[in-house]
């Protein structure tokens, strides 16, 4: 039975606590913490045996915590991962692993000192059935080599404090992971383009943005990033191969024919779009810890690879140039 301490009881933190307590076998949540202690106390209304820690570092150190789940704000992820590595705890860190590649390198160094993997990064789209089937088809070679990916990541809105670079580090970080995973490739160069500002997002950050990537094999990727699209939460992905295309399916839903219209609802909450993928992801993580004592999902290297591309994108902003994505040699432990 894996005893989990959760740092961050906001949107995704609460949702993960629910699935760990009510759905995922072989684990239980024994502790939680949040910058706003009231948010942590709210958890205990439904799960009274969960202990609230006002200081997340005390939760990490607690004897009764075997594994730490980090669902706090992005800028705190790296520090909590490093603190948990001091105690050799198992760690599930929601994306992004860190805000820079340098922080990810520090994490990999600290993790490797333990001689085994301890960190899993929350790139849940790899567990989505649609993306998983896309990868199976691409890897089978039945459509020939993958040449391009056209993707769109469209949000209805973002919370207060959102900034232009979060369009990359918080939003497009999903595509930075899923595209390299689908292609089995690494990035060669990257460029982010500013687009005419949408009147729906006038709070001081660029929206939309376009992410352009080239991979080591020469494949080209374009990702439209929107954080105020005016209509719904809409994730699109098409991989163009030599002999055909493979496309992310629309999420399961019913549709209506009424009043001379054909009506298909579009989700608005990102937690709902990949709800099954989150369930599979956390079940797989807990099963791996119970069966093998090590995580088998996205590693610190995967967190690093997404971050190093994000760094290049952010540096390219305003230059009109593709910048090289400079990666370190992949350490043995992550091969
Ligand atoms: C959020 O943190 C997520 O991870 C969602 O998957 C993403 O679509 C959204 O843009 C992020 O803010």
């Amino acid at each position: 039975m894996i005893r989990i301490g959760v740092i961050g009881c906001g949107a995704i933190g609460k949702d993960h606590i629910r699935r760990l307590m009510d759905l995922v076998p072989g684990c239980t949540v024994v502790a939680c913490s949040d910058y706003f202690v009231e948010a942590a106390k709210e958890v205990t209304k439904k799960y009274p045996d969960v202990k609230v820690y006002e200081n997340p570092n005390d939760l990490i150190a607690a004897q009764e915590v075997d594994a730490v789940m980090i669902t706090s704000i992005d800028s705190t992820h790296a520090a909590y991962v490093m603190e948990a590595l001091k105690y050799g705890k198992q760690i599930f860190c929601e994306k992004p692993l860190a805000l820079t590649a340098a922080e990810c390198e520090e994490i990999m160094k600290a993790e490797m000192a333990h001689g085994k993997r301890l960190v899993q990064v929350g790139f849940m789209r790899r567990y989505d059935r649609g993306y998983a089937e896309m990868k199976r088809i691409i890897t089978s070679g039945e459509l020939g080599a993958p040449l391009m990916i056209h993707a769109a990541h469209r949000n209805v809105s973002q919370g207060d404090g959102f900034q232009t670079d979060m369009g990359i580090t918080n939003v497009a970080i999903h595509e930075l992971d899923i595209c390299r995973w689908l292609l089995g490739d690494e990035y060669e160069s990257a460029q982010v383009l500013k687009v005419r500002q949408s009147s729906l997002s006038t709070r001081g950050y660029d929206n939309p943005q376009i992410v352009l990537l080239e991979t080591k094999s020469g494949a080209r990727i374009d990702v439209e990033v929107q954080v105020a699209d005016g209509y719904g939460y809409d994730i699109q992905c098409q991989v163009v191969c030599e002999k055909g295309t493979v496309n992310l399916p629309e999420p399961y839903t019913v549709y209506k024919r009424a009043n001379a219209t054909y009506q298909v609802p579009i989700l608005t909450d990102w937690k709902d779009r990949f709800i099954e993928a989150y369930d599979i992801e956390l079940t797989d993580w807990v099963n791996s810890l119970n069966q093998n004592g090590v995580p088998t999902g996205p590693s610190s290297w995967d967190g690093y690879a997404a971050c190093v591309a994000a760094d290049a994108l952010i540096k390219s902003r305003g230059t009109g140039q593709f910048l090289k994505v400079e990666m370190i040699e992949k350490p043995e432990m992550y091969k």
Side-chain angles (χ1 to χ4, degrees):
M1 178 65 79
I2 305 290
R3 299 168 299 169
I4 301 169
V6 179
I7 302 175
C9 302
I12 194 61
K14 276 190 300 196
D15 211 24
H16 282 348
I17 290 170
R18 172 190 59 77
R19 60 177 45 96
L20 290 169
M21 291 297 258
D22 300 347
L23 190 144
V24 176
C27 68
T28 185
V29 175
V30 294
C32 71
S33 178
D34 191 278
Y35 179 78
F36 300 105
V37 69
E38 286 315 309
K41 287 179 180 169
E42 189 68 21
V43 169
T44 61
K45 287 182 183 168
K46 186 173 179 191
Y47 306 110
D49 294 340
V50 173
K51 182 176 177 185
V52 172
Y53 281 83
E54 297 215 12
N55 183 336
N57 290 339
D58 295 340
L59 177 149
I60 291 170
Q63 288 295 324
E64 77 273 17
V65 171
D66 304 316
V68 178
M69 173 169 280
I70 299 164
T71 49
S72 48
I73 57 168
D74 299 358
S75 56
T76 63
H77 289 186
Y80 289 141
V81 171
M82 291 299 285
E83 185 68 15
L85 284 171
K86 280 185 199 164
Y87 296 87
K89 302 270 173 135
Q90 292 290 344
I91 301 154
F92 181 95
C93 181
E94 262 301 340
K95 41 56 68 180
L97 178 61
L99 294 183
T100 66
E103 289 171 305
C104 293
E105 287 186 53
E106 286 306 305
I107 287 167
M108 287 193 285
K109 214 179 296 172
E111 184 179 28
M112 285 189 282
H114 289 279
K116 67 171 186 172
R117 278 194 56 192
L118 291 171
V119 180
Q120 178 158 329
V121 184
F123 289 127
M124 83 293 176
R125 293 194 188 178
R126 298 184 182 204
Y127 297 88
D128 174 73
R129 279 196 255 220
Y131 279 114
E133 180 60 8
M134 289 174 75
K135 179 166 177 69
R136 187 197 64 75
I137 292 167
I138 295 164
T139 308
S140 76
E142 66 180 275
L143 295 180
L147 306 172
M148 292 167 277
I149 297 181
H150 306 304
H153 186 154
R154 301 182 182 127
N155 280 277
V156 178
S157 64
Q158 282 292 350
D160 293 340
F162 191 82
Q163 295 160 1
T164 296
D165 285 349
M166 291 171 72
I168 306 298
T169 61
N170 174 271
V171 177
I173 201 81
H174 282 295
E175 277 77 15
L176 293 177
D177 177 66
I178 204 74
C179 288
R180 61 182 282 273
W181 180 72
L182 286 171
L183 300 181
D185 205 346
E186 294 295 3
Y187 297 124
E188 175 64 31
S189 62
Q191 180 180 175
V192 64
L193 300 179
K194 183 176 167 58
V195 180
R196 170 182 177 176
Q197 185 69 16
S198 164
S199 62
L200 300 184
S201 52
T202 55
R203 292 190 289 167
Y205 49 78
D206 293 355
N207 182 64
Q209 302 182 46
I210 292 180
V211 164
L212 300 175
L213 298 153
E214 180 186 15
T215 72
K216 298 279 186 206
S217 67
R220 291 278 180 174
I221 299 163
D222 57 87
V223 183
E224 172 202 322
V225 180
Q226 284 231 45
V227 292
D229 68 0
Y231 69 91
Y233 184 72
D234 189 4
I235 303 299
Q236 300 292 326
C237 184
Q238 177 181 72
V239 181
V240 181
C241 302
E242 291 170 311
K243 293 185 275 183
T245 69
V246 58
N247 301 270
L248 183 70
E250 294 294 340
Y252 170 79
T253 183
V254 297
Y255 59 85
K256 291 186 287 188
R257 291 180 191 277
N259 309 320
T261 64
Y262 175 76
Q263 299 166 11
V264 182
I266 295 177
L267 294 168
T268 55
D269 185 339
W270 51 267
K271 291 190 304 305
D272 298 335
R273 170 65 181 80
F274 292 105
I275 192 163
E276 186 193 44
Y278 284 121
D279 293 346
I280 297 167
E281 173 190 46
L282 293 194
T283 301
D284 179 73
W285 175 58
V286 170
N287 283 347
S288 299
L289 298 189
N290 275 319
Q291 289 160 17
N292 317 309
V294 288
T296 50
S299 68
S300 301
W301 173 261
D302 296 309
Y304 163 77
C307 266
V308 74
D311 280 356
L313 285 164
I314 288 166
K315 283 195 191 89
S316 80
R317 194 180 300 283
T319 67
Q321 304 289 320
F322 272 91
L323 297 190
K324 187 158 171 49
V325 176
E326 307 272 5
M327 296 181 86
I328 61 171
E329 192 64 31
K330 189 173 192 175
E332 202 53 41
M333 191 168 91
Y334 300 107
K335 285 178 179 165

